[in-house]
Amino acid sequence: MVKVIASQVRKGNVLELESQLYVVLTAENFHPGKGTPTTQIDMRRISDGVKTTQRYKTTEQVERAFIEDHDFNYLYEDGDGFHFMNMESYEQIQVPEDIIGDQKVWLKEGMTVRISRFNEAPISVELPARVVFEVVETEPAMKGQTATSSYKPAILDNGARTMVPPHISAGTRIVLQTEDGSYVERAKD
């Protein structure tokens, strides 16, 4: 176990509290005008999936668990969960759906992800920050509509919905943030 200060905790880190392992879902630092800066950490207990929120002074120390991080390629999903393969050792692992969570909509076959494991059991999956998808359906651009913060709904080739600028049409490949599914730019390929 390694002690780190609360303000250094990031999404995906694994903490040990009262001999239980927790994966960090979000970590926010608050700096009020008066008073002590604090860090609020939303976590999920790995053993049973219970979510909890803790608040620490930013200089308080918390224990980070020693975990192994390896890159895996996404293969497929079935009734048992999501299957990945380590491209160096060809080891295949299965990750339950509750560990993937809302990120499953952004998984693409062949995508390289970082999987964190504790005692050989997968505990968290980190997707690339940005992914490319194709717009399959969106409203046509209106003449005279400016690009200033007006967005329109679009449906992507994975079935997900997002908001895109007016100049994006069906068939256009776009780059999205995996964290919140927001439009970044038109793909450069």
Side-chain angles (χ1 to χ4, degrees):
M1 299 297 164
V2 179
K3 290 213 180 245
V4 295
I5 60 172
S7 63
Q8 292 180 330
V9 174
R10 299 285 174 258
K11 177 180 177 178
N13 288 165
V14 177
L15 304 179
E16 184 176 2
L17 304 171
E18 296 137 19
S19 68
Q20 292 276 347
L21 289 179
Y22 292 83
V23 65
V24 175
L25 303 173
T26 61
E28 272 186 280
N29 294 317
F30 296 101
H31 299 279
K34 270 186 163 176
T36 308
T38 59
T39 300
Q40 179 174 315
I41 303 174
D42 294 331
M43 303 175 275
R44 181 176 40 83
R45 190 167 40 222
I46 292 170
S47 60
D48 56 11
V50 172
K51 291 183 181 175
T52 183
T53 300
Q54 297 282 342
R55 223 172 241 257
Y56 300 97
K57 292 178 183 170
T58 53
T59 55
E60 230 177 302
Q61 294 200 335
V62 293
E63 288 204 14
R64 243 178 96 181
F66 177 73
I67 53 170
E68 292 180 82
D69 289 337
H70 290 287
D71 288 341
F72 285 81
N73 277 21
Y74 174 60
L75 299 174
Y76 61 92
E77 174 189 7
D78 65 12
D80 297 330
F82 297 83
H83 297 265
F84 297 86
M85 182 169 65
N86 183 324
M87 295 309 286
E88 293 170 13
S89 66
Y90 300 108
E91 168 195 15
Q92 289 191 22
I93 63 169
Q94 180 236 318
V95 178
E97 186 172 345
D98 62 328
I99 291 175
I100 302 278
D102 298 340
Q103 302 181 93
K104 70 180 180 183
V105 72
W106 308 122
L107 278 174
K108 290 175 92 171
E109 197 174 303
M111 172 187 277
T112 301
V113 299
R114 181 156 285 255
I115 297 180
S116 300
R117 299 190 302 175
F118 182 78
N119 293 339
E120 298 298 313
I123 52 176
S124 73
V125 176
E126 184 182 329
L127 271 57
R130 296 176 174 190
V131 289
V132 176
F133 284 98
E134 185 176 324
V135 175
V136 292
E137 188 181 315
T138 188
E139 300 166 3
M142 301 294 232
K143 189 170 182 165
Q145 192 176 26
T146 61
T148 56
S149 74
S150 62
Y151 279 68
K152 61 184 182 179
I155 299 175
L156 306 174
D157 57 358
N158 66 345
R161 296 176 180 273
T162 191
M163 299 298 280
V164 296
H167 67 276
I168 300 295
S169 59
T172 306
R173 292 172 51 79
I174 61 170
V175 178
L176 296 171
Q177 287 282 99
T178 52
E179 193 173 327
D180 58 5
S182 63
Y183 172 86
V184 177
E185 64 186 0
R186 189 183 294 221
K188 293 174 173 55
D189 54 12

